[in-house]
Amino acid sequence: MPLLRRVFPQARFVHLFRDGPDCALSMSRHTGYRLILLLREILARTGAERPGDLTQDQIRSLPPELSSLLAERFDPALVLDRDLSLIRFGALWSELVALGVDHLRGVPAPMRTTLAYEDLLDEPRKELTRLAHFIGVEPLPQWLDAGSARLAGSRRGASLRLPAAELAALRECCASGARALAGGEG
């Protein structure tokens, strides 16, 4: 965000966020977020700061399921089929949300807004109209209709189907991100 602000000083920022446990569950199924966690594990095990800094000795020191990810070509199953704790995705969500909220504090209030996914599901036309006004465009009826139709309310509350203990642990991991969203410290 600091780079975007420097390059586009007049940009308006929209912080779209989703309920932590639901988002963490979604992240756990997303290849990109799964890869982020695996790369973080590689860096933590080797002490490197960035994947590009890894030496061949560090790569050889990794277990095969991790070192194979650094090959020129690798089997996608190494990312997709790996058992990764949902708690780790909750912690990642909290970290990213807290960082984003912190960066947004530096953006002048008239240049930023927030949009909760759940509010968008509850009142799509109202929230899309608010978004259109914020970015300075007319909320055309056909755009509001199309946007409202694309929202998948069935994804709300997906985390509620988790076992109670797993959901409680996930909520705990998401608590600092939720506090950051509520205006408290992360």
Side-chain angles (χ1 to χ4, degrees), residues 74-155:
F74 66 87
D75 181 357
L78 292 170
V79 175
L80 300 174
D81 296 343
R82 178 96 182 253
D83 185 27
L84 297 172
S85 166
L86 190 52
I87 300 307
R88 292 175 67 190
F89 291 99
L92 179 61
W93 177 86
S94 276
E95 178 186 336
L96 295 176
V97 164
L99 182 62
V101 167
D102 187 51
H103 283 304
L104 281 170
R105 286 187 190 118
V107 177
M111 305 299 285
R112 61 180 152 89
T113 193
T114 59
L115 183 56
Y117 177 72
E118 292 75 18
D119 292 345
L120 195 55
L121 292 177
D122 290 342
E123 299 182 274
R125 294 183 78 80
K126 175 185 171 193
E127 291 300 307
L128 290 172
T129 298
R130 185 174 68 80
L131 176 62
H133 288 151
F134 174 74
I135 61 175
V137 299
E138 185 66 30
L140 299 174
Q142 63 268 33
W143 178 74
L144 294 173
D145 292 342
S148 297
R150 292 187 57 93
L151 294 169
S154 63
R155 294 182 181 166

Side-chain angles (χ1 to χ4, degrees), residues 5 22 34 53 69 84 101 103 136 142-143 146 149 153 162 164-165:
R5 287 192 62 215
D22 283 352
R34 295 179 66 78
D53 294 341
L69 291 171
L84 297 172
V101 167
H103 283 304
Q142 63 268 33
W143 178 74
L162 294 170

Side-chain angles (χ1 to χ4, degrees), residues 6 30 121 170:
R6 280 193 306 276
H30 189 280
L121 292 177
L170 183 57

